Amino acid sequence: MRENEGADVAALNDDNMTQITLSVVEEWLDSHPDHCQDYFLRKIELDLINKWLVSHGFLNINDYISSATSTSSSGNVSPANGLAVQQVSPAASPNAPSILVNGTNSLSVSQIYRSNSKRCRRHDFARAKTRSVLRTQEIGKDVPICSSRRSSLKDMRKFTSLPPSPISMLSLLIDSKVRLPRWPVSAHNVDTKRDLRHAQGERDFFLTVVRDIATDLDLKSLSQKIVDDLAVLLDCDAGSLFLVDGPPRGSRRRCLVSKVFDVHSGARGQFLLPDGVQCEVAGGPPTTTDNEVRIPWGVGILGHVASTGETVNLDVACEDPRFDDEVDRIMGYYTSSLLCMPVKNSYEEIIAVAQVNNKNPDKDGGHFTSMDEKLFETYLQFVGIAITNAQIVEDSRAEYDRNRNLLEVVHDLFEEQTSIDKVIMKIMQRAQRLLKCERAAVLLVDESCDSTRFSKLFDLNSPKHNIKNNVKNSRQKVEGENVSRYLESLAERVACSGEVLNINEHECNEGIVDSGINSLLAMPIRNKNDQIIGVASIINKLNSSPFDDYDEQLFEAFTIFCGLGIHNTLMYSEVEKAMARQKVSIEVLSYHATASNKDVERILGMPVPAADSLNLYSLAFDDFSLNDDEMLMAAVSMFLELGLVKTFNIEKETLYRFLITVKRNYRDVPYHNWRHAFNVAQVMFAIMMGCDMKNTFSDLEVLGMFVGCLCHDLDHRGTNNSFQEKARSALVLLYGTTNTMEHHHFNHAVMILSSENLNIFSSLSAESFSTVMKVLKHSILATDLCMYFQLRNKFFRLIESKEYSWDEDSQRYLLMAMLMTSSDLAASTKQWHVQKRAARLVTDEFIEQGDKERFELKIQPQALMDRERQHELPQLQIRWIADICLPLYQALGQMNPKLNVMKEGAMNNMHQWSKLVDENYKNANGEQK
C-alpha cells in the first residue's frame, strides 16, 4: 500500500515539478488531525475498514454482527467507542465478506448501536449483580466462596441476560452473598472491668462500656456484657436482663426471656436452665444450650415492671409481696436490695427489663440511691439502642435463614416428584426444623368420599423425642390414640371451614385431658383450583411458647409448597400411568389379535358336543384330553348347559368370536395359557352342575364367575406379581403392587368385552351389566393367593361354626372367592398323571422366571424357581398341597360332601409325592454308598 502511495506521489512530483516525499505527507497529516479525520470519513469505504480490522486482529463488521447476535457467543467484547468488535487471531482471512449496505444482510448503524447498548447494559448489570448488598469491597481472590453453595445449581449462576430468569434468581438467593456482621464476645470479665473503672474513672469507663455494647450485635453476648456492666457501674453483686418476647397485642402470649441469667457476679459462667441444670466451664467462657429462662407476663417484680413501666427500688426485697424467692432458693442466694427498671426503644416501647441485686454494703448502706437510678436510667438508654440494633440483625439473620430454607424447600419440591410420601416428608422435616416444633402432621383428604374423611396420615416426631421411647407403656399408647383422634377432629374442622387454627395450651387441654399438647397450628392445604386437599399441623414449639403471627405466615408458605408438591407429584404419577398404559397397550396389540372371520366361520361349522360325552360334569376331568378346537367347543357346550346363552340372549356368532378372541389373548407360556383357563372353567362348571351349587347363586353371578374363570389369566406373561414389583414393570406403574396381574387380567377382559362383536353382555340392562361386571372383577381378583390368605380364615371359621347363610351377600361373595381359588388350584386334586404333568409345567414356568431374576434382576430366586434346586420339587409340592390346597378342600367338603373328591384327590397326590421323596432319598444314599 505504501509502495502504491509512493508511486502516486512520484507522479504528482513529475506533474507539478514539486519535490514532495511520503514522509512529508505523513508529517503534515499528523500535524492536521482534523483534516485527516474529515478526509477519512468522506472517502473511506467498508472494504478498507474490514481490511484494517482484520489486519489488527479483529473480526470484520459482518462477522461481528452475526456473532454478536448469537446467544452462544463467548468472545471478548469491548463496549468502547460505540462500536463493539471481537478479537480474532491475526491469521484471520483478509478477504472476509463485508457488510452489504442495501442487501439482505444489511444492518443499519442505529441497529448496531442499539445491539451494542443492550450488550453494555447486560455487562454492567452482570458486574452489579456480583456485588453484595452489605459488602464494602468487591469480591477478590482472597474472599472465600460460600461453602454452602449447592452443587446442583452451579451451572445456573451465570449472568448472561436481562432480565434474569426465575431459576437464576432462585440460585442467587440460595447462594446469597450477604454476610451478616458477627462480633466476638468480649473477653473482659467483671473483675477486669472493675479494675478498668478504677484506672479510667467513671466517665471514661462509662464511654468505654457504651462503645463496647454499641458494636455487639449478638443478643447473647450483648446480654452478658450488659449484665457485667451493670454489676460494675452500680457496684452491686448481681444483675440480670430479660427481653420482652411475644406479639405486642394480647398479654397472654407475651413473656420475658433471659439469654443470660446471672444471680451472683462471683459465680462466673453459671446459667440457670429451665430444667434446673447449671453449666460451668472453669476458666473459660460460659457454655449453654439453646434453653432460655422464661418468666410469664406480669409475674414477679420483673413482670410488674414490664407490664407497668415503673421503676422498683427495694431496700428489703423479701418484704415486697411481688418478690419471688424461687431463684434464691435454687441457687442458695439471698437478695436484700433490688433495683429494677424497664428498657425502652425510640418509640417508648418496653423491649426489656434490667435488674440489679445487692448493692455493695460498704456504699450507701447497701441501698440503691437516686444517683444509682439516674446512672441506671442513662445506661439503659444506650442499652435500648444496642438491643434494638441486635434484634434487627437477629431478625435479618433469621429472615435470611427462613428464606434460605424456603428456597431449599422449592429445590426439593422440584427435585423429588416421584412419590407423594417423599415430597410431604421432606417438606415436613424442613417445617419442623425451621419452626422448631416437636411434631408435624399432614392429613390428605379422601376425595372419593362425600363426607370429610382422610385417606393418608403423615406424622413426624422430633428425633429427640424418639431416642428413648421405642417401647411405650399402655397408658402412653392410649394417650397417643387420644391425641390422634383429637388431631383428626381438628383437621376435619379445618378441612370443612378452611380456617386457620392456632391453639394454645389452655385451649388444647379443653379438648383432651393430659394430651401433652401445649400449642398447635393447623392450616388447610389447597391445590391449584383452591380446593382443600389436606390439612397440615405443627405441634408444640420447642421453647414451650405458642405459635405467633410470624409462625403462621411462615407455615402458610409451607402449606403452599406442600400443595404444589402434591399437585406436581400427582401430575407426574398420571403421566407415568399414561406412559405405562400406552406401553402395555402396545405390548398387547403387538402380541394379540381378535378373532378373524375365517376362524369364526370354521368353528361355526363344527358340532357342539354334549357335556356328558366329554366328562365335563366330573371333578376328575383329564386336563390334557382335548385339543384347542375341542376346548373351544367344550366351552360352548358349558355355556349352553348352564343356560347362559338362553337366559341372556347371547348370539351364537358373538359367543364364538368372544371365545376365540379370549383364546388368542393368552400367551404361549408353559402353564398359565388357554388350556389352564379352560380347565379352571371346567372345574367351576363341575362344581355348579355336578355338585348342585348353581342354585346357590343368581344367574348373573353364575355368568360372571364362569366368564371370570375363562378370563382370569388373560395376557399372563409367565411371571408372578412379585416379579413385576421387583422389575418395576409398566404393570406395576399402572396398577400398583397390590393384585397387579389380576387387575391387568380384569382390564384386559373389559377391553375384549368392550370391542365390537365381542360383548356377550350386550343384551343386559345397565343394572344387570353393573352387577355382572362387579362379580367378574371380584372373581378375577380372588385368584390372587394374597386375597386367598386374607379371606380363608374367615371362611374356615364360618364353615366350622355352620352359621353360614349364602343368602347374605357378604358370605356369598366370600364363597365365590373360595370357589374361584379351588378351581384355580384344582390341578392338585386331579389324577396322579395329570397332577404330575401340570406340576412339571408350573415348574418350567417358575424356572424361567427364576432365570430372569438371576440374570436380569441379579437376585437369588426362591427355591421353587431355582433351576439348581429342581430335585426338591417333590418336597415343595407336598408343602404346597398340605399348607395351601388341602385346608381349602377340607372346608369345602364339610360344606358340600360332593366336593370331598377334591380333598381325596389332593391327599392321594400328596402321598404320591411322598413316594418320590423316599425314592430320591434311597437313590441319594445308594450313590453315597
Side-chain angles (χ1 to χ4, degrees), residues 513-552:
V513 179
D514 195 19
S515 65
I517 299 178
N518 54 53
S519 57
L520 181 142
L521 180 60
M523 287 188 178
I525 301 173
R526 302 178 184 272
N527 60 12
K528 66 173 184 176
N529 298 322
D530 204 36
Q531 298 174 338
I532 297 176
I533 59 175
V535 176
S537 303
I538 50 176
I539 303 166
N540 292 357
K541 290 196 73 172
L542 296 180
N543 57 11
S544 301
S545 63
F547 294 102
D548 54 24
D549 295 340
Y550 199 86
D551 292 327
E552 291 187 14

Side-chain angles (χ1 to χ4, degrees), residues 872-917:
E872 299 180 14
L873 176 60
Q875 296 97 319
L876 296 174
Q877 283 295 319
I878 293 174
R879 194 181 310 159
W880 165 266
I881 296 174
D883 296 342
I884 297 176
C885 303
L886 195 57
L888 174 60
Y889 296 129
Q890 287 174 341
L892 291 175
Q894 294 178 19
M895 179 195 68
N896 186 343
K898 293 185 178 181
L899 295 174
N900 276 324
V901 64
M902 303 181 80
K903 178 190 71 174
E904 294 170 358
M907 294 179 66
N908 179 64
N909 289 327
M910 190 165 59
H911 178 67
Q912 295 294 334
W913 287 115
S914 299
K915 290 182 179 180
L916 290 181
V917 172

Side-chain angles (χ1 to χ4, degrees), residues 648 698-705 764 767-769 771-772 775:
F648 299 107
S698 67
D699 291 336
L700 285 172
E701 291 170 343
V702 172
L703 175 63
M705 293 170 66
L764 300 179
E767 182 179 358
S768 298
F769 182 81
T771 300
V772 76
V775 174

Side-chain angles (χ1 to χ4, degrees), residues 11 141 182 277 284 339 354 409 426 428 494 587 643 658 735 900:
K141 295 182 180 179
R182 298 177 182 271
V277 179
L339 178 60
V409 170
K426 278 191 174 183
M428 287 169 57
V494 173
E587 288 180 356
F658 169 78
Y735 302 112
N900 276 324

Side-chain angles (χ1 to χ4, degrees), residues 190 245 462 579 592 608 671 818 823 911:
V190 175
D245 186 31
S462 177
M579 294 175 64
H592 306 296
V608 179
Y671 183 73
M818 294 298 106
S823 301
H911 178 67

